[in-house]
Amino acid sequence: MSLTRSSHTGEAALDEATRQRPEQARKRAGRGIIQTAAAVAAGIALALACLPLGVFPKLACAVLDAGCPATQEPDGRLPQATRLTPVQVAQSGMYVALGDSYSSGEGVYDLDKKPVNDGADRCHRASGSYVPLVAHTYRFGGGTAFYACSGATTGQLLSGQHGQPPQITRVGPAASLVTLSIGGNDAGFTKVLTGCIVKLPWSSACVEQDAAVARRIEELRPSVLKVLRELRVRAPNARIIVLGYPRPFPEEPVESVDNLSAADQSWLNEVTRRLNAAVGSVVADFDRAIAAFGAPGSVEYVDAYEAFAGHEVGRPQPYLNGLNVNMEELTVNARSYHPTGDGYRRFAELITRQIAAGPGRPMNNFLLATP
């Protein structure tokens, strides 16, 4: 009996000890939580009171894994668009040079030992034109194509000359820069000048051509617009630079030059100004439309009217060839009243300056980069 009672007594004590252990564990855990909370609170207070600015976020990141800066790019980012500068747009592809004799190099063609490319002998494309100079100044990603042709009208730019493919077909989506001079042959400038030179010295036949010239200049506007539209279709991202014509004679002529009186010279200067104004206004309106729609590319006009100031025909160092007549054959050399080497170098300066300056507004050409 005593053994049984002792056994029961031991079991009861063991049960009591077992019941007390969880309670003691809970008390110890509670004391630990209180101590940890107190330590954290003290640490926070100390950090806020004493730590330099910027240390606490780092402490929080290290201890609590909170507020840590992102070290990787988030997934699903869109491509980044960077607006190109005017020079970047121009250089991004091929440079294509079109136009008439003022672009082909008629004034210096006789100096070339060999044509610059296929058909150059018919179009009088010369290495002394402004085109090779521009190509040398800038590096174009797609190279240079030179297809200006002497005598070209706006219609021939689209249809072709001398059995050669139309100049317009040389332009494609890879073109990033197109330069051209156009309109002088539509206005009949060569014919007008010839009429002024071969008249009797006292005749007013030169200025009597005014009405006919004015009509042709006005009719030129839709033709220039058609050329610009076709270029935009073929090269929608390109910069198109249209070069104007220089004033051929001094602003205030004082004597006869090549059988041209001072009045004749002033009138021919005025014809040149009106021709430039017509082409320039079409170009400006076209570029405003491009900008209004936020479209890429541009159409820009380079005013060359004053480009040869001080070096007109009749000056000591002209940038235009004067009248050159073969007296034996009684023919006028085609280089007459076309730029000299200095004249084409001046044109190159104008074009390269325009390439750098741009259209006077932001370009809407963008480079997309994948993150």
Side-chain angles (χ1 to χ4, degrees), residues 106-118:
E106 178 70 82
V108 293
Y109 174 73
D110 286 350
L111 303 178
D112 268 12
K113 295 180 180 179
K114 62 179 181 179
V116 296
N117 54 15
D118 180 52

Side-chain angles (χ1 to χ4, degrees), residues 109-279:
Y109 174 73
D110 286 350
L111 303 178
D112 268 12
K113 295 180 180 179
K114 62 179 181 179
V116 296
N117 54 15
D118 180 52
D121 54 336
R122 299 174 191 155
C123 289
H124 288 192
R125 280 190 291 273
S127 60
S129 168
Y130 67 80
V131 174
L133 296 173
V134 172
H136 180 73
T137 302
Y138 288 98
R139 184 182 298 276
F140 297 97
T144 300
F146 183 15
Y147 286 102
C149 193
S150 184
T153 63
T154 52
Q156 289 171 328
L157 199 77
L158 303 174
S159 63
Q161 293 169 265
H162 311 303
Q164 299 294 304
Q167 292 185 47
I168 198 74
T169 63
R170 310 293 187 173
V171 179
S176 58
L177 175 69
V178 178
T179 62
L180 71 155
S181 56
I182 201 71
N185 294 309
D186 293 72
F189 197 79
T190 299
K191 181 181 179 181
V192 169
L193 184 60
T194 301
C196 290
I197 293 172
V198 300
K199 65 174 177 41
L200 295 173
W202 57 85
S203 170
S204 60
C206 184
V207 297
E208 288 175 0
Q209 302 176 86
D210 188 73
V213 171
R215 183 184 68 255
R216 289 195 292 269
I217 290 176
E218 191 60 31
E219 293 172 350
L220 173 63
R221 294 174 182 270
S223 300
V224 172
L225 181 59
K226 185 177 181 179
V227 168
L228 297 180
R229 284 174 175 168
E230 185 64 25
L231 288 173
R232 283 286 298 175
V233 168
R234 292 174 175 273
N237 297 308
R239 291 179 62 188
I240 301 168
I241 298 180
V242 182
L243 177 67
Y245 298 95
R247 186 181 63 224
F249 302 100
E251 186 175 11
E252 297 181 3
V254 293
E255 59 184 23
S256 177
V257 176
D258 296 336
N259 197 36
L260 298 170
S261 67
D264 295 336
Q265 295 174 54
S266 294
W267 180 75
L268 288 167
N269 285 346
E270 174 62 16
V271 168
T272 304
R273 187 195 64 77
R274 283 164 18 199
L275 172 61
N276 285 343
V279 174

Side-chain angles (χ1 to χ4, degrees), residues 12 56 59 143 165 248 307 368:
F56 182 67
L59 181 64
L368 295 180

